[in-house]
Amino acid sequence: MNIVLRSYIYLHIAVFLFGFTGILGYVIDLPAVTLVWWRSLLTWLMLLPYMFYTNGFKHITKRSFAIFAGIGCIVALHWISFYGSIKLANSSVAMICLATISVMTVFCDAWFNKKSILWKDALIGIAIIPGILLIIQNISTQYKLGFIVGLIAAAFSAIFATLNKKFVQSLHSISITWIELFAVWAFITLMLPFYYNINPEAKFLPNYSDLFYLIILSLFCTVISYVLVLKSLHHISAFSAMLTFNLETIYGIILSIVILHEHRQMNAWFYIGVLLILLSVFLHPYLNKARQKKSK
């Protein structure tokens, strides 16, 4: 098989697996904070054999550990907000919020790297607003808070994606991933006493069903999918990768409809709003590519 074709297959499999995160977040009967604690714990433990095998700890300096541990704390806030959105609303609502990440990243990139925002990028940001308003006006009141929390999750994701891009050249990707996941676990470990002081009745230990889904979430939707992404990015352009990553929202919503039957909870206006957001998101990389060709 052609290596480029194989890379596309790897990437699509990874993005399809990412699409299950919303489903698994919905079926795991744990609070968002506790769910993220277990997911991060299992994931960094699963990565340990690879880290020892490749001597991945060798090149980690105190500075790089501090930088990526700090970014890991932002990842923790993203995951807590994402699963919080699922618990407050449902998987479909949380997944459509993730579609705004690429647009938010444009503004975060300009902010953290102190550069101006191009009007075409700003236009895409404005273009998703009608879709957002259409969704929030046509979902049940009980889901509106979940939608807002989902947008906060997208904002945190845009921040850590921008910071990762800024510092990624200083360390191997797997080492970065291990540090950030360990930091997620450590950060939430410090939070847990305060969380359970406020919510003493909240569930902590997963039952057998929860543990099974947590292992799937950690192994397939985190470790394996991330390795597949790394393999594919060696042979696929950034433009193609961005388009494929945008499919995560589509896969997630389709899976929510097929497995959880969430279309019964939503009306047609919700999906029209989803379509408007997705059209804006998919338009953004095409405009960027056209702009790059023009500048060349």
Side-chain angles (χ1 to χ4, degrees):
M1 186 185 296
N2 182 287
I3 193 166
V4 175
L5 176 60
R6 189 187 307 137
S7 296
Y8 273 110
I9 292 173
Y10 286 161
L11 188 59
H12 276 279
I13 291 173
V15 173
F16 182 70
L17 290 173
F18 287 145
F20 277 95
T21 56
I23 303 290
L24 293 168
Y26 185 85
V27 298
I28 294 172
D29 186 26
L30 290 172
V33 173
T34 311
L35 191 159
V36 176
W37 187 87
W38 282 103
R39 180 186 182 182
S40 55
L41 172 65
L42 291 172
T43 307
W44 73 256
L45 286 175
M46 288 176 184
L47 282 173
L48 271 181
Y50 183 87
M51 290 291 289
F52 284 117
Y53 177 74
T54 59
N55 207 8
F57 294 107
K58 182 179 179 180
H59 302 290
I60 299 176
T61 64
K62 290 181 179 179
R63 181 177 181 275
S64 62
F65 185 88
I67 289 171
F68 292 110
I71 297 173
C73 294
I74 300 172
V75 175
L77 294 173
H78 159 68
W79 275 359
I80 291 170
S81 301
F82 174 66
Y83 290 112
S85 174
I86 293 172
K87 302 298 182 181
L88 290 167
N90 60 27
S91 177
S92 296
V93 169
M95 293 305 293
I96 190 54
C97 290
L98 292 187
T100 64
I101 291 174
S102 59
V103 176
M104 289 186 181
T105 303
V106 172
F107 296 94
C108 288
D109 185 44
W111 175 267
F112 285 106
N113 294 302
K114 297 179 180 179
K115 58 185 183 182
S116 58
I117 299 173
L118 297 171
W119 69 267
K120 288 182 180 179
D121 293 332
L123 189 63
I124 294 298
I126 295 170
I128 69 171
I129 293 176
I132 290 173
L133 292 176
L134 198 59
I135 288 173
I136 205 164
Q137 289 175 0
N138 290 280
I139 56 176
S140 301
T141 304
Q142 67 186 85
Y143 292 159
K144 289 183 179 180
L145 180 58
F147 185 75
I148 293 169
V149 172
L151 291 177
I152 293 171
F156 280 127
S157 181
I159 292 170
F160 83 71
T162 303
L163 293 175
N164 267 342
K165 183 180 177 181
K166 187 174 182 178
F167 297 105
V168 72
Q169 300 300 328
S170 62
L171 200 61
H172 190 275
S173 299
I174 292 293
S175 298
I176 292 172
T177 303
W178 187 88
I179 293 171
E180 291 181 352
L181 289 170
F182 179 80
V184 170
W185 174 78
F187 178 76
I188 298 177
T189 299
L190 294 175
M191 285 179 56
L192 284 180
F194 301 98
Y195 177 76
Y196 279 96
N197 184 51
I198 298 170
N199 302 283
E201 302 300 321
K203 184 178 177 182
F204 176 73
L205 292 174
N207 56 33
Y208 290 119
S209 174
D210 291 335
L211 186 59
F212 173 73
Y213 290 129
L214 279 166
I215 291 171
I216 292 176
L217 179 62
S218 303
L219 180 60
F220 291 96
C221 300
T222 310
V223 176
I224 291 177
S225 55
Y226 189 80
V227 171
L228 290 174
V229 168
L230 288 178
K231 283 180 174 290
S232 66
L233 291 180
H234 288 293
H235 308 285
I236 293 177
S237 69
F239 173 75
S240 299
M242 182 180 287
L243 283 180
T244 307
F245 283 130
N246 287 336
L247 292 174
E248 179 185 351
T249 298
I250 297 175
Y251 288 149
I253 290 176
I254 291 173
L255 289 169
S256 298
I257 292 172
V258 173
I259 298 173
L260 301 177
H261 307 292
E262 288 186 352
H263 59 286
R264 297 173 184 172
Q265 303 166 14
M266 304 298 176
N267 57 31
W269 290 110
F270 170 81
Y271 291 104
I272 292 172
V274 168
L275 183 61
L276 288 175
I277 292 175
L278 291 176
L279 285 174
S280 302
V281 168
F282 276 95
L283 181 62
H284 178 250
Y286 281 107
L287 289 176
N288 272 346
K289 190 173 184 181
R291 185 172 62 221
Q292 290 169 5
K293 284 183 177 180
K294 188 177 178 180
S295 64
K296 288 179 181 179

